[in-house]
């Protein structure tokens, strides 16, 4: 007998989260008015506070025109600085190591300009075989940019036969054996497909010990799991803000550069007028004077209307705090896993995400053994109001987000799977 709906309601009462701060889309089908939104790993929901913030910035432009650069309530000239400290807190960095700018893949390229510097035998880039396609294309194009063959330059580490996720040893053993050919290790902190949380400090240490530079794509890690990038000695990292950071589609992304690289005059870097120190920027000098901070990686003046949503979101993370969020996340995902176990026992569905909470964030990925994942998510949405997403050919991802997801959402997932997928017995 499956867990009952009343239990889900009881758990929600005891452990309510912060759903009231968000706008939840209406259900597309089924018997509940609101969607059970489990796609926050793809696009986070809109905080209620975002609209007001955006309108205020729009209003400053209307009232002030060009004077808004200095006279707006949040002057545009320094607006990005308001995002720096809260973003730094979220990833465990100092403000000097952090900047919010551009979008994720653009930032990966800008960072690789500085930190992927193939030389002699040390040319290879290590990624995971289940890397997000944008990352795969980015590293291959970087190899080509340096005149190297992407097929031999990019190493894709795959799980052992019969296993779904990488073991830390799979990565560290490779680095111990072949690390002298590796220029850059660039992995996802939490894998987008499997939901696996990598051992970031252990792999970073192994990569650096092998003489490689170690960067992390934190698209699925930031706002999902606690991070301590500075203490973990990570060389660089980048993340987007539209998944767990709820800052809206295409939101401004973030960058971390470790202190030891700041102000290094020998690092190559692409520059523009926002790369030079702010105090002398408007002297319009022909040669830049980059600050010894991550802001040196900025190029253009930033899109002001994209800043408010990030600011609103980061304030939320500051006020709730990652430790509390992570604790609720472990409870919520554990509950969903338990319910899905009940359903998968006699259905062709397999959870491929590690069971150990220390090896995952909030996402559970389910392999669909019969029929198509895309067809299944369509039915979940239209027949049950459950929003999840499909990754071809056979993975459906469910992410109970600790800020706004409920135990009842998780219960609806299990109910909908039970009603949609035929039993094998
Ligand atoms: C979401 C995601 C991206 C998206 O890249 P954009 O540049 O923001 O379009 C890239 N890499 C990973 C690992 C992602 O999860």
């Amino acid at each position: 007998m499956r867990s009952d709906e009343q239990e889900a309601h009881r758990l929600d009462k005891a452990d309510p989260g912060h759903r009231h701060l968000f706008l939840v889309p209406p259900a597309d089908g089924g018997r509940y008015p609101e969607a059970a939104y489990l796609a926050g790993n793809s696009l986070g929901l809109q905080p209620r506070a975002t609209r007001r913030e955006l309108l205020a910035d729009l209003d400053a432009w209307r009232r002030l025109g060009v004077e808004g650069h200095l006279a707006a309530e949040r002057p545009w000239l320094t607006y990005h600085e308001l995002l720096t400290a809260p973003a730094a807190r979220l990833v465990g960095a100092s403000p000097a190591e952090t900047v919010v700018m551009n979008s994720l893949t653009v930032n990966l390229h800008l960072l690789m300009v500085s930190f992927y510097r193939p030389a002699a035998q040390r040319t290879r880039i290590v990624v995971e075989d289940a890397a997000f396609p944008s990352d795969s294309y980015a590293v291959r194009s970087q190899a080509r940019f340096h005149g190297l063959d992407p097929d031999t330059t990019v190493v894709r580490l795959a799980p052992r036969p019969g296993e779904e996720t990488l073991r830390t040893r799979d990565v560290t053993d490779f680095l111990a054996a072949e690390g002298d050919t590796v220029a850059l290790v660039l992995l996802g902190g939490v894998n987008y497909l499997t939901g696996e949380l990598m051992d970031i400090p252990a792999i970073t240490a192994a990569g650096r010990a092998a003489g490689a530079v170690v960067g992390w794509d934190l698209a699925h890690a930031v706002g999902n799991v606690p991070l301590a990038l500075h203490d973990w000695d990570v060389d660089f990292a980048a993340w987007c803000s539209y998944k767990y950071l709820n800052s809206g589609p295409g939101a401004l992304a973030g960058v971390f550069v470790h202190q030891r690289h700041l102000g290094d005059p020998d690092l190559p870097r692409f520059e523009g007028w926002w790369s030079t120190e702010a105090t002398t920027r408007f002297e319009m000098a022909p040669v830049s004077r980059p600050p010894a901070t991550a802001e040196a990686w900025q190029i253009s003046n930033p899109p002001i209307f994209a800043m408010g949503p990030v600011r609103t979101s980061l304030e939320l993370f500051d006020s709730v705090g990652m430790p509390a969020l992570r604790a609720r996340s472990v409870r919520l995902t554990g509950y969903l896993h338990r319910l899905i176990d009940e359903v998968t026992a006699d259905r062709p569905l397999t959870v491929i995400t590690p069971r150990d909470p220390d090896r995952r964030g909030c996402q559970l990925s389910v392999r669909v053994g019969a029929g198509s994942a895309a067809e299944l998510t369509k039915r979940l949405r239209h027949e049950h109001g459950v929003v999840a997403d499909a990754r071809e050919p056979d993975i459906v991802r469910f992410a109970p987000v600790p800020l706004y997801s409920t135990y009842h959402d998780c219960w609806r997932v299990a109910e909908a799977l039970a009603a949609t997928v035929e039993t094998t017995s």
Side-chain angles (χ1 to χ4, degrees):
M1 193 53 223
R2 276 203 306 282
S3 314
D4 67 292
E5 188 168 11
Q6 289 319 311
E7 184 198 15
H9 285 311
R10 270 198 307 278
L11 288 165
D12 275 323
K13 227 180 200 147
D15 186 12
H18 298 80
R19 190 183 185 85
H20 59 289
L21 300 176
F22 288 83
L23 296 160
V24 179
D28 230 8
R31 55 200 177 90
Y32 302 96
E34 286 185 345
Y37 192 82
L38 282 292
N41 55 344
S42 189
L43 182 72
L45 291 181
Q46 185 182 135
R48 287 182 185 275
T50 298
R51 173 183 295 260
R52 195 177 52 240
E53 187 96 352
L54 254 178
L55 290 177
D57 289 335
L58 206 52
D59 223 44
W61 180 29
R62 175 179 63 79
R63 285 183 292 107
L64 300 167
V66 70
E67 298 301 324
H69 283 301
L70 294 169
E73 186 196 340
R74 293 178 284 273
W76 305 332
L77 219 50
T78 51
Y79 202 143
H80 67 275
E81 294 173 7
L82 300 175
L83 312 182
T84 304
R89 280 192 284 276
L90 201 53
V91 298
S94 73
E97 294 171 316
T98 312
V99 63
V100 173
M101 61 181 193
N102 308 317
S103 46
L104 169 54
T105 312
V106 169
N107 287 338
L108 287 175
H109 276 299
L110 294 178
L111 290 163
M112 280 191 278
V113 164
S114 300
F115 296 112
Y116 174 52
R117 299 164 73 191
Q121 291 313 299
R122 195 183 279 285
T123 58
R124 296 205 283 177
I125 307 174
V126 175
V127 299
E128 70 274 46
D129 195 38
F132 192 81
S134 196
D135 301 51
S136 293
Y137 307 157
V139 294
R140 287 179 62 85
S141 64
Q142 283 284 331
R144 241 179 277 114
F145 177 70
H146 286 278
L148 298 166
D149 175 359
D151 291 335
T152 53
T153 301
V154 176
V155 180
R156 305 179 67 90
L157 293 183
R160 301 173 190 196
E163 299 190 5
E164 299 283 1
T165 49
L166 280 171
R167 301 183 191 198
T168 303
R169 284 291 300 272
D170 297 343
V171 184
T172 55
D173 285 354
F174 176 84
L175 289 169
E178 302 188 41
D180 58 346
T181 66
V182 175
L184 173 65
V185 179
L186 182 60
L187 299 170
V190 172
N191 183 267
Y192 85 101
L193 188 65
T194 66
E196 178 184 17
L197 167 59
M198 304 301 288
D199 188 337
I200 299 176
I203 292 171
T204 300
R208 298 202 63 232
V213 174
V214 183
W216 289 91
D217 183 327
L218 301 175
H220 282 264
V222 71
N224 182 15
V225 294
L227 297 166
L229 300 183
H230 177 89
D231 289 348
W232 293 342
D233 232 14
V234 164
D235 285 298
F236 70 88
W239 58 92
C240 57
S241 310
Y242 49 83
K243 292 168 180 164
Y244 296 108
L245 296 191
N246 311 311
S247 303
L252 281 172
V255 157
F256 164 86
V257 177
H258 197 278
Q259 176 118 42
R260 65 178 161 275
H261 299 301
L262 301 177
D264 177 353
D266 296 328
L267 271 188
R269 189 172 46 227
F270 288 168
E271 293 185 349
W273 69 326
W274 244 249
S275 322
T276 200
E277 60 174 34
T279 49
T280 54
R281 180 172 297 140
F282 289 89
E283 291 174 8
M284 304 306 210
V287 178
S288 75
R289 289 161 53 174
T293 69
E295 287 191 9
W297 274 264
Q298 295 184 115
I299 295 179
S300 293
N301 85 100
I304 296 302
F305 302 138
M307 299 250 169
V310 181
R311 199 172 86 91
T312 308
S313 162
L314 292 176
E315 274 176 9
L316 257 175
F317 278 87
D318 262 343
S319 70
V320 179
M322 257 333 273
L325 275 180
R326 173 61 170 167
R328 182 165 193 268
S329 175
V330 169
R331 294 192 293 272
L332 207 54
T333 298
Y335 176 72
L336 177 62
H337 204 151
R338 223 159 40 243
L339 298 196
I340 290 185
D341 277 346
E342 294 173 2
V343 175
T344 54
D346 56 353
R347 287 183 180 73
L349 299 170
T350 319
V351 176
I352 64 164
T353 307
R355 188 169 286 273
D356 178 358
D358 291 338
R359 292 193 55 217
R360 70 186 186 196
C362 68
Q363 170 184 322
L364 294 181
S365 303
V366 176
R367 170 160 290 136
V368 182
S372 104
E375 192 55 38
L376 175 58
T377 54
K378 218 179 277 171
R379 290 190 60 195
L380 293 178
R381 188 163 71 249
H382 296 311
E383 295 171 19
H384 301 278
V386 170
V387 182
D389 77 359
R391 285 289 174 260
E392 294 295 342
D394 59 355
I395 301 293
V396 179
R397 307 183 303 169
F398 301 98
V401 173
L403 269 173
Y404 52 73
S405 294
T406 62
Y407 290 87
H408 192 252
D409 289 339
C410 297
W411 181 83
R412 284 173 63 187
V413 169
E415 275 300 290
L417 282 174
T420 313
V421 181
E422 301 260 345
T423 57
T424 46
S425 49

